[in-house]
Amino acid sequence: MASSDRAEKCDEEESLQILEKAGRLKNASHSDDLLKMGRYSIFLCIFVEVAMLSQLSNTMLMVYAGASPTIKSCGNISFSSNEEACANYNEYCKEQDNITFARQFYGITEQFKLLCEDAKLEKLGTSIQMIGVMLGCLVFGQIGDFYGRKKPMMFCLCMCFIFGIWSALSSDFKKFTIFRTILCFFNGGQSTISVVYMIENIPKRTRGYVSTLISYSPNVILLGMLAFLFQEWDRLALVIAFLTVPAIVMLAFLHESPRWLMQKGKVAHAKKVFLAIEKFDGTPLSECLNGDELENFLEYEHDRQISEANTKVGKQHSFWHLFKTREIMTGTLVIAFTFFATTLINYSIMFNLGAVAGSIYVNSIFIGLLRYSFSLFSGFMDYKFENFNRKMCHGICSIVTISIIVAIIAFCLTNTTSTFSTLIRIGVLLSCAMTSQAIIVASIASNELMPTAIRSISYSTAQLCSRFGIVFAPHVFHLNLYTRIDFPVLPYAILLVIGLADFLCFRFLIPETKNKPLEDFIMNRTKTVEKEEEEDEV
């Protein structure tokens, strides 16, 4: 036993001597330290931003396509309000072709006559589409950890392009829903993997501000502009489909994640990727990494993590491994709930934008501007101040959102909503910005907390819960259609309880992850590799 310990110590000393001779590698303690914000990382971030434009546009299409018009008249009968029109819709208007509308956007509700009580079908269709996203997150989270990041993303992008075109050509609501659901399945897949891919390929110090810079927020603005330019659901769906083409082209020039390659034991391939990145960055020859030294460094790190984790190379992981340790289980569940809560609040409000004072386009653009402004501010604070960490940022977002919801409830209870309509509008738009930033923070924390072996699976679980939020979101402000109870405060009360629970869980149940190096394996020092192999065989 003593001779074995001495042999291990000698091997470790030999490895350390190799690292000391490794030129620029001597200042690196982890392969994360080899990453820098050069041309390659910037190009990769641009790819993720373009992919996110496609992802967000496909997810938010129903904000515009599902917008309900106001019925002004049918035949020779005019109506003073939409409530009056709906009261007479079944008797006078349902079979009429001569209906006059006041609209901001020509959506499927008007084309397929999903009006008044039939609006429930549109909400149901939106929920079905989001179920497609959920399944995509679930399936491709596992695929991303089994087969890598690049190939599944390429497949998903191509499928989004194909089904995006088919959905734009749909002749009825049933075909539209089927094509959009299949599209959303692949959209969920690429949205899950792309964020993991970006986090694994940028330096740890830049994860905070890059994740706020490269996010859905600026794309909300772009989508609002596109909706204003095209103003018809089928034309907008077609444009969104073609937004995937630049992402497909850019991904062809990118490499597989070196973190994933190392976790799978493909150290030689990871070395080639690091050297290819240096070539792409145009690193001077005098500063380039030496291939042999780099491979020794990567092998040393890989062997060290294998030893610390008591695992084996190439071990396949599944969703069961999210519950293997208490820390990983707690982190997974808390972050998943954060995704559910913040997404439910965000999209409940987004899908109800037509009921908020002002133009649906202007409101969307304002939300995008607020989201992106706060994201950039948060990114700056994260980069400059060590104490501005994940928990602090999430806490600020949660407290502001909760305060806004409480204020709106107070206005509803005192019947002063019409008096303070402008203030409510500002609060609603600001709450969307806050919840958006909370989702970004949770995304970063999830990817920093989880090891490479289960990072994609864990993030897909969070995304799955996020889509649960989107599934329920279209119905939150239309509960009266199901309960027949007209109680305006109820939707906000539900959002308030969920927001409070999210704040407390995130604050007290997960560790801070800022500036921590990414790990590759689940750290489980209580088991031997032999026992783990026996478990797998069983």
Side-chain angles (χ1 to χ4, degrees), residues 285-324:
L285 190 61
S286 59
E287 299 177 16
C288 281
L289 295 168
N290 177 279
D292 293 335
E293 294 171 350
L294 175 61
E295 188 164 357
N296 288 331
F297 177 85
L298 297 178
E299 284 181 349
Y300 171 72
E301 179 185 334
H302 178 262
D303 293 343
R304 175 178 57 79
Q305 290 204 34
I306 285 281
S307 175
E308 289 178 357
N310 272 332
T311 188
K312 58 180 181 177
V313 180
K315 175 179 171 60
Q316 299 291 359
H317 293 77
S318 64
F319 283 94
W320 178 85
H321 288 88
L322 297 179
F323 304 92
K324 189 172 182 181

Side-chain angles (χ1 to χ4, degrees), residues 450-505:
M450 298 300 160
T452 305
I454 57 168
R455 185 170 296 123
S456 184
I457 297 174
S458 177
Y459 189 63
S460 73
T461 302
Q463 288 278 5
L464 178 69
C465 292
S466 169
R467 304 315 168 183
F468 268 116
I470 301 180
V471 167
F472 293 121
H475 307 282
V476 171
F477 283 93
H478 296 83
L479 293 175
N480 60 316
L481 293 176
Y482 308 96
T483 63
R484 303 295 179 182
I485 300 173
D486 189 15
F487 188 46
V489 171
L490 182 59
Y492 290 106
I494 292 171
L495 299 182
L496 175 62
V497 171
I498 291 173
L500 279 169
D502 168 47
F503 169 72
L504 295 173
C505 289

Side-chain angles (χ1 to χ4, degrees), residues 221-241:
I221 303 170
L222 294 174
L223 179 60
M225 292 177 177
L226 288 173
F228 179 76
L229 286 173
F230 294 97
Q231 298 203 355
E232 293 180 13
W233 72 267
D234 49 352
R235 293 167 63 190
L236 182 60
L238 200 61
V239 170
I240 292 171

Side-chain angles (χ1 to χ4, degrees), residues 361-374:
Y361 307 110
V362 175
N363 285 342
S364 292
I365 291 172
F366 274 153
I367 287 174
L369 288 171
L370 284 170
R371 285 171 62 163
Y372 204 41
S373 298
F374 190 72

Side-chain angles (χ1 to χ4, degrees), residues 52-64 66 122-123 126-127 129-130 133 184 187-188 191 215-217 219-221 223 338-356 360 364 367 371 401 405 428-440 459 462-478 491-492 495 498:
M52 281 186 172
L53 176 58
S54 164
Q55 295 162 19
L56 175 118
S57 299
N58 279 316
T59 302
M60 286 186 57
L61 174 68
M62 295 307 293
V63 171
Y64 299 99
E122 181 271 318
K123 302 303 177 186
T126 301
S127 293
Q129 291 178 42
M130 294 307 108
V133 178
C184 285
N187 196 50
S191 65
S215 67
Y216 288 149
S217 300
N219 297 317
V220 174
I221 303 170
L223 179 60
T338 294
F339 267 76
F340 170 78
T342 51
T343 303
L344 180 66
I345 296 171
N346 186 290
Y347 280 92
S348 294
I349 295 169
M350 290 295 291
F351 286 132
N352 197 49
L353 273 185
V356 179
I360 190 173
S364 292
I367 287 174
R371 285 171 62 163
T401 302
I405 294 173
V428 165
L429 301 184
L430 184 59
S431 66
C432 284
M434 294 296 104
T435 51
S436 169
Q437 184 59 30
I439 293 171
I440 293 173
Y459 189 63
Q463 288 278 5
L464 178 69
C465 292
S466 169
R467 304 315 168 183
F468 268 116
I470 301 180
V471 167
F472 293 121
H475 307 282
V476 171
F477 283 93
H478 296 83
Y492 290 106
L495 299 182
I498 291 173

